[in-house]
Amino acid sequence: MVLLLSPSTFFSGGRRRSRELRIVVAGDASTGKSTLIASMASGSYSDSVPPVLPPRRLPHNLFNDSVPLTLIDTPSSLDKQGTRNELLKQADAVILTYDCEERATFEHLSSYWLPELRRLEVKAPVVVVGCKLDLRDDSRLVSLESFTAQIMQQFKEVVTCIECSAATMYQVRCFNAPLQPAEVARVKRLIEQKVPEGVNYTGLTFPGFIYIHNMFLKKGSTETFWVVLRKFGYDNDLKLRDDFLPVPPKKAPDQSVELTSEAIEFLNGTFRLLDTDKDRSLCPAEVDKLFNTAPKSPWNDAPYKDATEKTSMGYMSLKGFLSQWALMTLLDPTLSLANLIYLGYSGNPATALRVTRRRSADRKKQTTERNVFQCYVLGSKKAGKSALLNSFLERPFSDSYIPTTVEQYAANVVELIGGTRKTLILHEIPEDGVSHFLSNQNCLAACDVAVFVYDSSDEHSWRKSRDLLEKVVRKGELTGYRVPCLLIAAKDDLTPYPRALLDSVKLTQQLGIEVPIHVSMKLDDSSYVYQKILKAAENPHLNIPESEFAKKRKQQQQFFYQSLMFALVGAAVAALGLSVGRARAIKKNSLA
């Protein structure tokens, strides 16, 4: 009985409160107000309860809402009417009681108590509670719904009706109890009369489902509506609860989550439905329409805003649309799955996402089955990192410099030789944030390839990118998350810094990676760069730099293993020689 009077009973949806709630209990004399409060507070029945109880505070951990309640009893006598009225005016919610044995006490609710609350301008929600249910004659039992439907329709402040017994702790709740077969048949007949297509041999159709909920809302039965929403996993903010979403768990940090082919096919169909003018792109209004059934559009804020390709008119192409979903799934699988369901995903939500194989396993197998790759973009300020991202999204080059202060993303589809398409996500990490980024032990676990951009005409830029590369190499060797690395010599249209040309080639030879990729975003010759980045990601065993320390350690390990092998072989030969000698001695003695 306590659970049915939790804060969510009174404050459905957005009306939930976080502070302590004062619930005032009123009604005719001898209807069971004080006994109801006592049983709710103690969880047991007592037949000796004072006429009026002092306020009883219920602990907040009794309810999922985590909101404490204070139950306030009121006197029914006329001489205490002023006190009762003041308590009602200060109420956050009101319980009006009637005696299940006395029909007149129920009728008094609509003739006196509810009009009195309006006269006092009480704006709090009201729950009608019938007490002493155990004493009512079964022969006079009537449906609670038929008993209360009129009062809920007339007084919209009544959020629900309950009948209960403090003695037996038994309760019946209107619009929230399992329907009996006869009631199910009656509901079906009602829907068939109003909406012939609302019922079929399996039950309610979508039109029937909508009709019955419209009927409940017209009756003022908002609580029923919220019960259904919570049954389907929605919380009080109309968001799907995380525990309702079957997101496949990652077993290791170097795994990632991708959309399955079924989910991608659903998104392709969704794009076609939204593209009403058939121009193969979505205007901002069409994109906003996509999330009409979601709490809000997740793409209006960082890191998703402006993270994908758009046309010159600001429209989103299919490539941009699918890339945006791939990015959201990589960064926040729970958010991605929730929005798939908001859109009406028709498949099994448990099969919409998949967890990839570990990147370390990919390196050992020298192949990968991933469809989405994340590339870290590092480098000095003014090296051309943001220009690399903008060019990837086919945005025009700009000479104006805007420093990057936060991490940002660019996602797009890259087509390889042979027609294979993969999604590449460039993840720019600003120079000032690298130290903090590398302080995370697992920072490289989600990386498929790292590129280090430097201004080929600037000595400082080259030195800074070289230092960053060395830091990432050391981090990878210490944590075990070693990643393919590439150097990108940007601003190739400028006069190069001579020393950088020689040093960069020498460094790549020492580390065992490809020579620097020269590119000019200004001259718009960067398209092949992204294919090279993707190729490096698809070959996770190549372009993995090895520091001098790692080389020496490998040499020492090889020397140790070789020494151990020689010792084992020597011991085996000695043991074999000893065995042969003993065998000859035994044979010689036997002949003698």
Side-chain angles (χ1 to χ4, degrees):
M1 181 157 57
V2 172
L3 290 177
L4 285 183
L5 293 179
S6 70
S8 62
T9 302
F10 302 97
F11 302 103
S12 300
R15 294 188 294 171
R16 185 179 60 178
R17 311 289 182 86
S18 57
R19 63 177 178 82
E20 180 176 316
L21 300 178
R22 292 167 52 87
I23 300 180
V24 177
V25 184
D28 286 354
S30 302
T31 54
K33 299 187 300 298
S34 301
T35 304
L36 174 68
I37 293 173
S39 63
M40 288 177 64
S42 64
S44 60
Y45 172 73
S46 174
D47 56 4
S48 57
V49 178
V52 179
L53 292 172
R56 294 289 182 91
R57 189 175 187 273
L58 304 183
H60 69 277
N61 57 6
L62 279 179
F63 314 107
N64 294 332
D65 308 71
S66 298
V67 178
L69 304 181
T70 297
L71 301 177
I72 300 173
D73 200 359
T74 59
S76 302
S77 57
L78 288 175
D79 59 326
K80 301 287 186 179
Q81 184 176 6
T83 301
R84 182 181 67 237
N85 289 349
E86 287 303 314
L87 292 172
L88 288 170
K89 289 179 180 179
Q90 298 172 16
D92 293 305
V94 175
I95 292 176
L96 292 181
T97 62
Y98 67 92
D99 187 339
C100 290
E101 260 200 318
E102 299 292 337
R103 177 67 178 265
T105 60
F106 177 79
E107 294 173 347
H108 204 212
L109 295 178
S110 56
S111 64
Y112 173 73
W113 286 106
L114 288 165
E116 179 70 0
L117 292 180
R118 289 186 174 181
R119 187 187 68 82
L120 295 172
E121 297 183 349
V122 175
K123 304 298 183 183
V126 178
V127 171
V128 171
V129 178
C131 301
K132 307 181 186 181
L133 180 61
D134 57 306
L135 300 179
R136 186 163 65 188
D137 186 356
D138 287 345
S139 63
R140 294 190 295 152
L141 189 64
V142 293
S143 168
L144 177 59
E145 182 178 347
S146 62
F147 208 45
T148 58
Q150 185 176 356
I151 198 172
M152 292 186 70
Q153 188 169 7
Q154 182 180 356
F155 298 95
K156 301 300 183 183
E157 57 268 35
V158 178
V159 294
T160 194
C161 299
I162 300 168
E163 287 189 338
C164 64
S165 167
T168 64
M169 304 300 289
Y170 178 76
Q171 58 197 341
V172 177
R173 188 174 186 177
C174 178
F175 303 119
N176 193 29
L179 294 176
Q180 297 302 313
E183 293 174 307
V184 172
R186 183 170 61 84
V187 170
K188 282 187 174 181
R189 285 196 301 271
L190 174 63
I191 295 174
E192 284 178 324
Q193 291 172 2
K194 303 294 183 180
V195 186
E197 71 278 14
V199 179
N200 59 24
Y201 68 96
T202 60
L204 291 183
T205 64
F206 182 70
F209 182 81
I210 296 298
Y211 171 77
I212 195 170
H213 282 86
N214 280 332
M215 181 181 69
F216 284 138
L217 290 174
K218 288 177 181 178
K219 286 185 175 183
S221 179
T222 56
E223 179 64 15
T224 305
F225 196 70
W226 282 101
V227 166
V228 173
L229 287 171
R230 292 188 181 103
K231 182 69 176 178
F232 283 95
Y234 287 86
D235 64 13
N236 287 346
D237 297 318
L238 277 180
K239 295 179 181 178
L240 287 169
R241 302 190 309 271
D242 287 352
D243 63 340
F244 184 79
L245 299 169
V247 177
K250 294 193 297 183
K251 296 181 180 179
D254 61 342
Q255 291 179 300
S256 57
V257 181
E258 297 181 1
L259 294 164
T260 61
S261 57
E262 292 84 359
I264 293 174
E265 184 60 33
F266 167 77
L267 291 173
N268 271 294
T270 302
F271 183 91
R272 289 192 296 268
L273 287 174
L274 290 172
D275 184 20
T276 54
D277 53 7
K278 307 303 178 185
D279 62 349
R280 297 184 181 182
S281 61
L282 301 181
C283 67
E286 289 171 329
V287 175
D288 289 341
K289 186 179 179 181
L290 173 69
F291 296 105
N292 275 350
T293 54
K296 67 173 186 176
S297 171
W299 297 352
N300 288 337
D301 303 312
Y304 309 110
K305 186 177 182 180
D306 299 326
T308 55
E309 175 187 311
K310 293 181 180 178
T311 67
S312 58
M313 296 178 63
Y315 290 10
M316 180 177 286
S317 65
L318 178 60
K319 281 202 313 178
F321 181 77
L322 295 178
S323 299
Q324 191 80 287
W325 279 99
L327 174 63
M328 186 162 61
T329 305
L330 178 77
L331 299 183
D332 195 340
T334 301
L335 180 65
S336 180
L337 182 57
N339 279 280
L340 275 174
I341 297 174
Y342 295 145
L343 265 61
Y345 180 63
S346 54
N348 181 358
T351 62
L353 307 180
R354 74 177 189 96
V355 177
T356 64
R357 189 169 62 193
R358 294 190 62 179
R359 289 176 172 85
S360 56
D362 285 347
R363 281 190 283 276
K364 289 180 181 178
K365 293 180 180 293
Q366 299 186 6
T367 185
T368 181
E369 298 173 348
R370 296 172 187 273
N371 295 308
V372 180
F373 298 91
Q374 180 170 202
C375 170
Y376 288 178
V377 181
L378 303 100
S380 65
K381 296 176 181 177
K382 299 184 178 181
K385 301 187 299 296
S386 297
L388 183 72
L389 270 69
N390 288 331
S391 177
F392 187 44
L393 301 181
E394 298 189 7
R395 293 172 184 164
F397 175 80
S398 174
D399 282 315
S400 61
Y401 171 68
I402 302 176
T404 301
T405 56
V406 296
E407 296 177 27
Q408 59 181 9
Y409 296 84
N412 210 340
V413 176
V414 177
E415 186 169 341
L416 300 175
I417 297 174
T420 304
R421 291 188 171 192
K422 302 289 183 179
T423 301
L424 178 62
I425 296 173
L426 302 183
H427 176 184
E428 180 185 355
I429 303 167
E431 181 185 346
D432 293 339
V434 171
S435 297
H436 175 73
F437 182 79
L438 292 178
S439 65
N440 184 339
Q441 185 74 3
N442 297 325
C443 62
L444 296 178
C447 180
D448 294 296
V449 57
V451 299
F452 299 84
V453 184
Y454 63 95
D455 180 349
S456 60
S457 68
D458 184 81
E459 177 183 4
H460 169 76
S461 181
W462 155 245
R463 293 183 183 278
K464 185 65 181 180
S465 292
R466 182 190 62 191
D467 292 344
L468 290 174
L469 172 59
E470 292 173 351
K471 287 181 180 179
V472 169
V473 171
R474 285 197 297 270
K475 187 71 175 181
E477 291 173 346
L478 289 173
T479 62
Y481 299 124
R482 301 174 66 200
V483 298
C485 295
L486 298 174
L487 282 169
I488 295 182
K491 304 185 181 181
D492 199 40
D493 54 292
L494 302 178
T495 303
Y497 169 62
R499 187 65 182 270
L501 287 172
L502 299 174
D503 287 354
S504 61
V505 173
K506 182 179 179 180
L507 179 65
T508 56
Q509 291 175 342
Q510 291 174 345
L511 296 177
I513 63 176
E514 287 189 23
V515 296
I517 305 169
H518 289 261
V519 65
S520 171
M521 306 303 165
K522 190 173 185 178
L523 299 179
D524 194 24
D525 63 347
S526 61
S527 58
Y528 69 97
V529 174
Y530 310 113
Q531 292 185 345
K532 281 183 170 289
I533 293 173
L534 191 56
K535 183 180 178 182
E538 283 201 305
N539 293 274
H541 60 295
L542 302 177
N543 287 297
I544 296 182
E546 194 171 38
S547 67
E548 288 300 320
F549 173 78
K551 289 178 181 178
K552 290 179 181 178
R553 186 172 60 181
K554 182 184 289 187
Q555 291 173 352
Q556 291 172 351
Q557 289 175 341
Q558 289 175 345
F559 177 76
F560 171 76
Y561 290 137
Q562 289 174 352
S563 301
L564 180 62
M565 185 61 66
F566 287 140
L568 291 173
V569 171
V573 170
L576 179 62
L578 182 62
S579 298
V580 171
R582 287 178 177 174
R584 288 176 177 174
I586 293 172
K587 183 177 181 180
K588 183 177 181 181
N589 290 335
S590 64
L591 293 175

